[in-house]
Amino acid sequence: MFNHRRVRTAVVLVISWVVMTGVERVVEHNPWGSALLRGLVWAGVVTGVWWFSEWTQVQRPQPRPEESVTSDERSPH
């Protein structure tokens, strides 16, 4: 399930939204409506940073090196 980047990104968005809403509600003493909206904004920032860091660290397939000696050029020994 977590092999897909979209799923991981969605999970980061939801978890960070819950955490950031809690921070806005408890620490900043905002009402629920404001805390949900501000938590969503911060969750978007966190998710964007997460996505960018994953995107820049993706292992792209490397081109396979060509064989330096073909089968016709090999010695018969």
Side-chain angles (χ1 to χ4, degrees):
M1 178 170 122
F2 290 106
N3 291 336
H4 302 286
R5 188 179 310 148
R6 289 183 204 151
V7 174
R8 288 191 305 267
T9 304
V11 169
V12 168
L13 177 65
V14 170
I15 290 173
S16 61
W17 189 12
V18 169
V19 170
M20 292 300 176
T21 298
V23 167
E24 288 288 335
R25 175 74 177 133
V26 174
V27 177
E28 300 293 331
H29 305 291
N30 288 325
W32 277 110
S34 177
L36 284 171
L37 183 59
R38 290 178 184 203
L40 181 60
V41 170
W42 281 112
V45 171
V46 169
T47 304
V49 170
W50 175 275
W51 176 85
F52 183 76
S53 67
E54 264 200 351
W55 180 67
T56 56
Q57 294 179 12
V58 168
Q59 296 293 329
R60 291 175 179 81
Q62 300 295 322
R64 293 175 57 182
E66 299 295 326
E67 282 190 41
S68 59
V69 179
T70 62
S71 60
D72 296 336
E73 296 173 340
R74 290 185 186 151
S75 67
H77 301 301

